[in-house]
Amino acid sequence: MAVACYNGCVNAHPLPAATGADDERLDSIRRQVLRGIALNREPGYHFAGNFLDLSYDPVGTDHTALSVDVAPHCCTEDGQLSLSGFAILADLAMAGAVRAGLDPKTRLATVTMSLQFCGLPGTGRLHARGLMHGFIAGAAGRQGTSTVAIRNEAGLVCNGAATFMVLKPPKGVELHPVPHRRRGEHPTPEIPGGRLRPDEKKVLAAAENSIAHVRTRGGSFVRHFWGVRAKHTPGAAQATVKNGPHIGNRVGHVQGGILLGLAAETADAALTPHWQLTALSSWYISPGEGRALKIRSKVVHHGRLVAVGRTEVTGKGADGARRKVFELMTTHAYRAE
């Protein structure tokens, strides 16, 4: 069966189970996980961004530029950046543009995000350019607006827009400036004695489990690592994603880009591989917390050339009550023969 992807490509031959020739690829993924853990010991960022190895290129009040090299640790079966990785890149580029004119320690919460895919493959080195467009006038809270354009050497891959709310940190949590690391400037730090902390052991355990899965059954490491295993039923799909430090942000909630990517991949799974994701609009309603998140997607329109899906993510708050975390609307186009 062909594997659906967001940019209009179809991978008709998913990666087979790993053989001896794949050992180096899987070892390189494990090294990248450990690099992400080591880099994450510098406060101010989160594991997901460190794991992707995003590069903060020119950062200023006029624009913010980030880039990422699509590599085995972050690509799906067809060699493209995973949807979660893509959403993290877009989210951080737009948030960085808003934060550039604020205190570097400022906490931002994503309120809305929309992305429009142009059909080019998300491969190679992806460059995201975020632009700040000011704060919403008349709002009691400070909501910054920004846009992003993501390109590679083939051209424009995606553009998007988002709004971010300026928030105080949770009680008892000290925030630090996001480290603006650039490609090639930061070797992997040493972990004294190789001793991992409890949360770091959880990250490595999740990675080891995913590496073992790929070694025996093939597929994409990052798709398994970040928990996207949606079950398809006619016109719908659902998934349960275990929460943990491997998908958390600076305050322990599911990182906004990962949340968007998980929901979008579930929406994609509600349709057959004849359809490609072309656009999405999302609303962040409450923090992604609790032991697990439940994702449910339903096709609300199925035409000959265009389909529309609605996806809802729920979780349990500190009071144990289940509540809506995130809502997503997606548009899909029928693939050309």
Side-chain angles (χ1 to χ4, degrees):
M1 177 181 290
V3 176
C5 59
Y6 59 86
N7 56 34
C9 300
V10 176
N11 173 30
H13 303 286
L15 291 174
T19 63
D22 296 308
D23 285 346
E24 175 55 33
R25 175 174 64 92
L26 295 175
D27 287 345
S28 73
I29 290 173
R30 189 179 190 277
R31 289 194 295 271
Q32 185 63 25
V33 172
L34 289 171
R35 171 173 166 79
I37 289 173
L39 288 173
N40 203 48
R41 290 196 169 189
E42 180 182 353
Y45 209 12
H46 44 66
F47 170 77
N50 286 309
F51 166 69
L52 286 177
D53 232 356
L54 295 174
S55 174
Y56 277 79
D57 302 326
V59 174
T61 54
D62 55 340
H63 76 277
T64 294
L66 277 74
S67 61
V68 64
D69 287 327
V70 183
H73 69 282
C74 60
C75 71
T76 51
E77 292 90 341
D78 48 17
Q80 300 181 78
L81 185 64
S82 73
L83 270 171
S84 289
F86 199 93
I88 291 171
L89 175 64
D91 180 51
L92 293 182
M94 289 189 280
V98 174
R99 189 180 283 111
L102 303 172
D103 185 318
K105 299 179 182 179
T106 300
R107 178 192 176 194
L108 297 178
T110 313
V111 179
T112 65
M113 189 189 304
S114 62
L115 297 174
Q116 177 74 55
F117 298 101
C118 302
L120 292 178
T123 56
R125 178 170 292 176
L126 292 167
H127 299 267
R129 181 185 176 96
L131 296 175
M132 169 64 167
H133 296 285
F135 292 92
I136 296 176
R142 298 190 76 192
Q143 289 191 50
T145 64
S146 56
T147 57
V148 68
I150 300 178
R151 293 179 167 84
N152 59 14
E153 55 182 31
L156 182 65
V157 178
C158 172
N159 53 48
T163 57
F164 299 89
M165 178 73 78
V166 178
L167 295 178
K168 294 180 180 179
K171 186 177 181 179
V173 176
E174 180 185 2
L175 296 184
H176 299 81
V178 177
H180 291 166
R181 303 191 189 97
R182 298 190 67 174
R183 182 174 292 103
E185 293 182 356
H186 293 271
T188 304
E190 292 289 333
I191 296 178
R195 296 186 179 90
L196 298 182
R197 300 164 183 166
D199 61 329
E200 295 170 342
K201 290 180 180 179
K202 290 180 181 179
V203 172
L204 184 58
E208 297 280 16
N209 180 56
S210 297
I211 289 172
H213 176 90
V214 173
R215 192 180 299 279
T216 58
R217 301 178 64 180
S220 161
F221 165 81
V222 73
R223 191 186 293 273
H224 190 276
F225 182 52
W226 278 339
V228 183
R229 292 183 287 278
K231 296 179 180 179
H232 172 84
T233 57
Q238 61 181 12
T240 299
V241 178
K242 186 178 180 182
N243 205 345
H246 61 306
I247 59 174
N249 61 16
R250 293 196 292 170
V251 297
H253 303 148
V254 177
Q255 200 278 334
I258 290 184
L259 185 58
L260 175 56
L262 296 174
E265 292 200 30
T266 305
D268 221 21
L271 291 157
T272 69
H274 298 96
W275 295 86
Q276 67 186 62
L277 176 64
T278 56
L280 58 83
S281 294
S282 62
W283 296 265
Y284 293 77
I285 299 167
S286 63
E289 54 187 347
R291 296 183 63 182
L293 299 179
K294 293 186 180 297
I295 308 174
R296 292 183 174 86
S297 184
K298 182 179 180 181
V299 178
V300 296
H301 169 72
H302 196 298
R304 186 172 63 88
L305 298 176
V306 175
V308 178
R310 180 179 181 180
T311 303
E312 179 181 273
V313 181
T314 59
K316 286 187 177 181
D319 58 359
R322 182 157 294 279
R323 61 189 181 191
K324 185 180 292 188
V325 170
F326 181 82
E327 187 149 336
L328 173 75
M329 295 295 294
T330 51
T331 305
H332 310 254
Y334 197 80
R335 299 180 189 278
E337 296 297 334

